[in-house]
Amino acid sequence: MIVLSANGCTDVPQGRPSTLIPQQHHQHSLAPTAGRSLSPYAGPVAAVLVGGVVLTALLAAVAVTAISVAIAAVVLRSLLNNAIRR
């Protein structure tokens, strides 16, 4: 075994020779499904996505309605204040 020292020189250590241990290469599968397909999950995933889109649309509708009511309140208050002053 050759060792690179801190000064960049190569040293061969004295004494008992090192034993090389061969490395074993393992193949890992990315998604072990044990023969099952992912198609049974398509329905629930689609339902969750559709539910999320619907809830987001409802939240946007509530926000637009709240802004419209606030603008209407400001306009009505302005009209009432002008009517009282006259």
Side-chain angles (χ1 to χ4, degrees):
M1 172 161 65
I2 298 175
V3 178
L4 185 63
S5 65
N7 63 3
C9 298
T10 56
D11 297 330
V12 178
Q14 302 296 325
R16 198 171 128 213
S18 64
T19 304
L20 296 176
I21 300 172
Q23 294 181 353
Q24 297 177 357
H25 298 283
H26 298 285
Q27 292 181 350
H28 297 285
S29 61
L30 294 177
T33 58
R36 290 182 273 160
S37 68
L38 296 177
S39 61
Y41 300 111
V45 168
V48 168
L49 289 176
V50 169
V53 168
V54 168
L55 290 176
T56 303
L58 287 174
L59 182 62
V62 168
V64 168
T65 302
I67 291 170
S68 299
V69 168
I71 291 172
V74 169
V75 169
L76 283 175
R77 186 175 68 178
S78 175
L79 289 174
L80 289 174
N81 284 338
N82 285 338
I84 293 173
R85 287 182 188 163
R86 290 184 187 180

